[in-house]
Amino acid sequence: MKLSELGEFGLISRIKGHLGADGGQLIRGIGDDAAVIRGGADVVTLATTDMLVEGIHFDLDYMSPGELGEKALAVNVSDIAAMGGIPRWSLLSLGLPADMEVGFLDGFFKGLVAAGNRFGVKLAGGDTVTSGGGMVINIALYGEVAAADVIYRNGASPGDRLFVTGTLGDSASGLELLKKGLRRSSCDLYESALAERHLVPEPRIKESAIVVSEKLASAMMDISDGLLQDLGHICRESGVGAKVLAEKIPLSGAFVEAGGKHGLDKMLSLTGGEDYELLFTVPEEKMPALDSCRHLFESGLSEIGEICEGTEVSVFDEKGLPLSVMQGGYDHFRKELR
Ligand SMILES: [Mg+2]
């Protein structure tokens, strides 16, 4: 069945069917003019939104509807985790071509709802419109955190140590392979691991909760546009510089093996976007606390450099020589991924 046969109200009741009943803090979800959510004392609400446009941010040639639903939510969840918060509620706006197959949307919602269950996020409402071109997905996500526990980008000081979760460069490498025509039905385990990192990123909610509960970080953000570009944001907001040691950048086996096989740029670990790892700064006096809980970081945790005086982000090789790296990362109004 096509969307044009189902109609808007048929679509909304179909979406309601995917979501199940309201409950808990969600007093009223879909079905009124606005969602009604119970709040709490001494808790702040975090709000973020992210838009995905077909042909710009995703390509349905290599992405399943379920993966798309999952990723659309995961990238927002990552922003809430980056502030130290717990994701709670989402609003979803969809621009849909009228000739879209309804089965595609069912797959999308299955992925979205499964991810919501995993991350503890309930869809509270949204809007659906016809798109003249491709599919457009906008999710607004609300999260909560105790007012005293919010972690901003602007708290880094010279001498703070620099940490990242997980491994870097996988998602951008996976995207390169997918764009080259790699398909998961016919690729090796390393190639498939990289593609997976791009298609279904894992927001670091648990890791963020550890950082919050141990009060480890003076500043934090998630890496969506590439390590150097995002570290530049922390530095600018905090009025500091940073030194990064290239040899300390955590690389996955898949990045090394599949990257070598396909001759991918190693600099993708410094500049490639969409890894959704956490980047945070730890003051010296918090290092004992960090050492006693670092085994809890299931993603892995790596120290990659330090915050210094100044305004520059510089990268050094294993001999201590400065590396010149194309400044960059993803810029939404420039053409290419650097
Ligand atoms: Mg972010």
Side-chain angles (χ1 to χ4, degrees):
M1 186 176 24
K2 303 275 189 211
L3 202 48
S4 53
E5 299 160 53
L6 185 63
E8 182 183 358
F9 300 106
L11 172 63
I12 292 170
S13 70
R14 200 175 176 97
I15 292 172
K16 273 185 90 164
H18 281 288
L19 301 182
D22 302 338
Q25 279 177 280
L26 184 60
I27 299 168
R28 177 66 49 86
I30 296 178
D32 213 313
D33 294 306
V36 181
I37 297 165
R38 206 181 300 279
D42 298 326
V43 165
V44 293
T45 297
L46 303 169
T48 183
T49 181
D50 198 80
M51 188 181 290
L52 299 174
V53 177
E54 183 178 349
I56 307 287
H57 304 103
F58 62 93
D59 188 331
L60 296 175
D61 280 352
Y62 51 68
M63 197 163 198
S64 76
E67 287 166 342
L68 185 58
E70 188 170 346
K71 181 168 182 174
L73 186 60
V75 300
N76 281 286
V77 167
S78 181
D79 273 325
I80 297 292
M83 301 296 292
I86 297 165
R88 297 280 194 213
W89 316 104
S90 65
L91 297 173
L92 169 70
S93 296
L94 289 172
L96 303 169
D99 67 350
M100 174 174 266
E101 289 292 339
V102 170
F104 180 95
L105 274 178
D106 287 339
F108 173 82
F109 276 97
K110 275 189 190 129
L112 183 81
V113 170
N117 290 338
R118 210 148 57 79
F119 305 141
V121 175
K122 233 171 157 40
L123 183 58
D127 192 20
T128 53
V129 296
T130 309
S131 151
M135 185 179 187
V136 180
I137 306 161
N138 179 249
I139 292 186
L141 180 63
Y142 300 86
E144 289 179 331
V145 57
D149 288 342
V150 185
I151 306 173
Y152 297 94
R153 295 178 179 183
N154 66 356
S157 303
D160 288 357
R161 315 259 203 113
L162 197 53
F163 285 85
V164 283
T165 59
T167 54
L168 299 184
D170 294 336
S171 175
S173 303
L175 176 60
E176 288 284 304
L177 296 182
L178 289 165
K179 285 205 286 196
K180 282 184 177 184
L182 175 107
R183 290 300 173 262
R184 278 166 296 164
S185 49
S186 58
C187 67
D188 69 27
L189 280 176
Y190 293 126
E191 294 162 340
S192 136
L194 294 182
E196 196 85 352
R197 285 285 316 261
H198 178 73
L199 296 170
V200 269
E202 186 63 39
R204 300 304 186 188
I205 303 180
K206 285 188 213 150
E207 289 74 6
S208 162
I210 301 167
V211 173
V212 168
S213 74
E214 301 299 321
K215 301 195 183 305
L216 299 177
S218 49
M220 184 158 75
M221 70 180 297
D222 67 330
I223 303 180
S224 55
D225 297 338
L227 170 68
L228 295 186
Q229 179 154 307
D230 287 332
L231 179 54
H233 293 308
I234 286 186
C235 288
R236 214 166 306 116
E237 295 295 323
S238 301
V240 296
K243 292 177 186 160
V244 172
L245 303 175
E247 60 174 332
K248 303 280 189 194
I249 302 295
L251 305 178
S252 68
F255 180 88
V256 175
E257 295 296 329
K261 177 173 165 187
H262 294 276
L264 297 182
D265 188 350
K266 288 205 183 66
M267 291 299 162
L268 286 176
S269 61
L270 292 165
T271 59
E274 296 208 273
D275 281 317
Y276 299 103
E277 296 295 350
L278 294 175
L279 171 67
F280 58 96
T281 57
V282 179
E284 191 63 43
E285 69 268 21
K286 297 286 183 186
M287 285 303 293
L290 182 139
D291 284 332
S292 64
C293 69
R294 67 189 302 161
H295 65 282
L296 299 174
F297 285 76
E298 283 169 19
S299 61
L301 182 66
S302 305
E303 183 172 357
I304 60 166
E306 64 174 355
I307 298 296
C308 57
E309 307 273 355
T311 55
E312 294 287 298
V313 174
S314 18
V315 184
F316 296 89
D317 69 11
E318 67 279 9
K319 294 188 188 112
L321 299 170
L323 269 180
S324 101
V325 182
M326 285 285 291
Q327 270 297 341
Y330 192 73
D331 179 320
H332 294 268
F333 295 99
R334 275 198 264 129
K335 276 264 159 65
E336 63 209 78
L337 190 66
R338 262 300 333 154

